[in-house]
Amino acid sequence: MKNKYKNLSINTLIFTISSFGSKFISFFLVPLYTAILSTSEYGSVDLITTTAQLLIPTLTLNVQDAVLRFSLDKDYKKEDILVVSNRIILFSSLFLIIILCLAKILNLIDIGNNYLVFLFCSFLMGTINNCLNMYLRSTDKMKLIGICGVISTFITCITNIILLLVIKLGVNGYMIAYISGTFIANIGMFVFGNVWSDLRVGKWKPYVAKNVFAYSIPLIANSIAWWINNASDRYILTFFCGTSLNGIYSVSYKIPSILAMIQNTFYNAWSVSAITEYDKDDNDGFIGNVFTLYTVFSIILCSGIMLFNLFLAKLVYSKDFFLAWKYVPLLLVGTVFNGLGLFIGCIFTAVKQSKVISSTTIVGAAINTVLNFTFIPLIGAIGAAFATLVGYFVVFIVRYYRLRNIIKMKVRWIPIIISLVALGFQCIIASIFEVSYIQIPFFITILIINNRIGIKIIEIFKMKIRK
């Protein structure tokens, strides 16, 4: 029992160090981006990165998720799983090159060559980074992931300053800087993670590849559906309202990214613990305790960030981008439910029920899409933010309902539900009024409601770690 909490805590700390710097720097580079790039330029490059995020799981058959799951499985050799992922990356990259070249020759797409190169590089670097990250987790090289994350952050920051402020390359400088940090991180993980040695030892085994594909292919639908929840609103918003408003809406995600960053650091650690510590009866209450603490912390942090939304908006949004503050509250609440859905998804991964993961995400994506087409023409970006929130909420509810069939989680729902109701009222007020003080009662209410449960679970963690 002690090791469960201790390992989760240590891994969470490592991933926090790894990603905090990256997200922190990314957040405070926003004033630089909004000062130098126009809303149209920022909106265009955001669509490219969003497209790359869709292509990565689609063209690679979502192999990165299978890398972690099967590398932690004692019935398979990690090196063989690495060989499978390596071949998929190679063939998917060649396929994308061919598609982009044909599209350009046949005039099927009307964008500059610099954006096409950026799209391919984002795809290639992102795919390699995902697979290396998952593989190193399975080999318990968390510290290396953390170090490479810090180095990646430093490189990204320096190149942004040099290319945007000194050389003044504009949007091209932004794209180069975006790629450079990931490129350096990939080299670091590949070299110091002894990945090359493992590739030489591993062998291509058809039955291994077959099992990997059987697990990962259903997750393609999940990734596409999750992408729809995350990003389809950008395309629909651009279609109805133009790239300028999409640029403003896209930058509004930067404040919710603070919450998403913290959730993601925990998710990276939890994705390992959910597999290694799975217990269908949750006899020691480990999974239920972790879920409760995670939920309460996410709600409190969401409420706190929302309270300071206007202050942060004035700090990081320049010129025409300040309007983005209106969309932040809805996106923040959506981020809470997104995190809860991902938490439950890790448990489905532990029991290899990838079809359940996909089907639940598809339901949320379908509702998200319908709401986007309904509300964006009527109320613009606010409609997009609302659709995103509802999409994440539906995924969480459906997943929790399905979860009851595979595990008996011990969760105290009453204080959580009351806190969510208070958060909902705070969100409505924060989206309408350009003042912060009227949100304070809701923030204090959430703190009071969760005071005992937060202290109790923290004490459990301290006790288990010290034993």
Side-chain angles (χ1 to χ4, degrees):
M1 180 68 169
K2 175 187 70 174
N3 290 334
K4 291 184 179 183
Y5 289 98
K6 189 170 184 178
N7 291 338
L8 178 59
S9 300
I10 292 173
N11 290 340
T12 301
L13 177 61
I14 292 173
F15 283 116
T16 298
I17 295 172
S18 171
S19 62
F20 181 78
S22 174
K23 297 298 183 181
F24 184 82
I25 293 296
S26 174
F27 179 78
F28 282 100
L29 282 176
V30 173
L32 175 63
Y33 299 150
T34 56
I36 293 178
L37 304 178
S38 67
T39 55
S40 179
E41 286 178 328
Y42 194 90
S44 297
V45 78
D46 176 75
L47 288 179
I48 297 296
T49 56
T50 300
T51 302
Q53 291 168 5
L54 170 65
L55 293 176
I56 288 173
T58 305
L59 298 186
T60 64
L61 307 180
N62 216 82
V63 71
Q64 56 267 22
D65 287 335
V67 169
L68 176 64
R69 183 62 189 86
F70 282 85
S71 294
L72 288 172
D73 195 321
K74 295 179 180 179
D75 295 332
Y76 299 88
K77 290 184 177 180
K78 294 179 175 63
E79 297 83 0
D80 296 339
I81 304 300
L82 185 61
V83 169
V84 172
S85 66
N86 183 61
R87 290 202 181 183
I88 293 177
I89 291 173
L90 175 61
F91 286 115
S92 63
S93 299
L94 291 175
F95 179 75
L96 180 58
I97 289 177
I98 294 172
I99 292 298
L100 292 178
C101 289
L102 288 175
K104 191 65 177 178
I105 293 172
L106 299 175
N107 293 321
L108 298 178
I109 48 179
D110 185 23
I111 59 175
N113 291 332
N114 57 333
Y115 286 107
L116 289 179
V117 172
F118 177 58
L119 174 59
F120 174 75
C121 290
S122 296
F123 169 83
L124 180 60
M125 291 299 104
T127 300
I128 294 174
N129 187 267
N130 287 344
C131 287
L132 287 176
N133 195 297
M134 294 295 189
Y135 184 72
L136 292 182
R137 287 190 213 178
S138 70
T139 57
D140 200 26
K141 295 178 180 176
M142 307 293 187
K143 292 182 180 179
L144 177 59
I145 297 175
I147 293 171
C148 289
V150 172
I151 294 174
S152 173
T153 298
F154 177 76
I155 296 297
T156 301
C157 180
I158 294 300
T159 50
N160 264 298
I161 293 173
I162 294 175
L163 297 178
L164 293 180
L165 289 180
V166 180
I167 304 179
K168 297 182 180 180
L169 290 181
V171 69
N172 289 329
Y174 172 89
M175 291 189 289
I176 295 172
Y178 184 93
I179 297 296
S180 60
T182 307
F183 175 71
I184 297 299
N186 289 346
I187 292 178
M189 288 189 286
F190 186 85
V191 174
F192 296 102
N194 296 320
V195 176
W196 174 246
S197 299
D198 292 346
L199 274 173
R200 294 178 64 183
V201 173
K203 297 179 180 179
W204 173 267
K205 298 178 180 177
Y207 82 92
V208 173
K210 180 181 178 180
N211 291 338
V212 167
F213 293 156
Y215 173 82
S216 64
I217 288 177
L219 289 174
I220 296 176
N222 174 70
S223 296
I224 293 174
W226 209 265
W227 176 87
I228 291 174
N229 275 330
N230 276 314
S232 66
D233 50 0
R234 321 282 182 87
Y235 292 88
I236 300 172
L237 188 63
T238 299
F239 177 79
F240 284 108
C241 305
T243 56
S244 292
L245 183 56
N246 179 60
I248 296 171
Y249 179 68
S250 299
V251 84
S252 69
Y253 273 88
K254 294 301 180 180
I255 292 178
S257 71
I258 300 173
L259 175 59
M261 171 202 71
I262 296 173
Q263 288 181 325
N264 196 49
T265 57
F266 175 80
Y267 168 78
N268 288 330
W270 173 244
S271 63
V272 176
S273 292
I275 296 172
T276 58
E277 310 296 346
Y278 172 73
D279 174 10
K280 67 177 182 179
D281 295 318
D282 194 21
N283 289 311
D284 55 10
F286 172 71
I287 296 177
N289 286 337
V290 173
F291 177 81
T292 303
L293 177 61
Y294 174 70
T295 304
V296 168
F297 184 74
S298 294
I299 293 172
I300 292 173
L301 188 60
C302 175
S303 179
I305 295 174
M306 197 181 301
L307 182 63
F308 289 95
N309 175 37
L310 287 169
F311 170 77
L312 293 172
K314 292 176 182 177
L315 183 66
V316 300
Y317 300 154
S318 300
K319 302 179 297 184
D320 298 332
F321 288 90
F322 180 72
L323 182 63
W325 73 267
K326 291 185 177 181
Y327 319 130
V328 171
L330 288 169
L331 294 176
L332 274 170
V333 178
T335 301
V336 171
F337 290 115
N338 180 34
L340 298 181
L342 289 173
F343 182 101
I344 295 174
C346 288
I347 301 176
F348 286 117
T349 297
V351 294
K352 294 183 180 178
Q353 292 194 16
S354 55
K355 291 182 180 179
V356 175
I357 297 175
S358 297
S359 62
T360 53
T361 313
I362 289 171
V363 172
I367 293 175
N368 177 287
T369 302
V370 171
L371 293 179
N372 271 319
F373 279 106
T374 301
F375 289 109
I376 288 179
L378 298 176
I379 53 178
I382 283 288
F386 175 73
T388 298
L389 188 161
V390 174
Y392 287 143
F393 175 75
V394 169
V395 172
F396 162 64
I397 290 296
V398 176
R399 283 190 178 182
Y400 184 76
Y401 178 79
R402 298 291 298 273
L403 184 68
R404 298 184 303 171
N405 296 324
I406 65 172
I407 190 172
K408 299 176 181 178
M409 248 187 352
K410 302 175 178 68
V411 181
R412 292 183 60 187
W413 277 110
I414 293 179
I416 291 177
I417 292 173
I418 295 174
S419 298
L420 287 173
V421 171
L423 186 66
F425 281 111
Q426 181 184 357
C427 176
I428 295 172
I429 291 174
S431 300
I432 298 175
F433 301 102
E434 198 172 340
V435 289
S436 299
Y437 63 87
I438 55 177
Q439 300 178 41
I440 295 177
F442 297 101
F443 178 67
I444 294 175
T445 299
I446 292 172
L447 288 178
I448 294 174
I449 291 172
N450 295 291
N451 180 48
R452 290 184 179 180
I453 190 171
I455 293 175
K456 181 178 179 180
I457 299 177
I458 291 172
E459 287 177 350
I460 292 175
F461 269 81
K462 289 181 178 179
M463 179 181 64
K464 297 303 178 182
I465 292 172
R466 288 172 181 171
K467 282 185 178 180

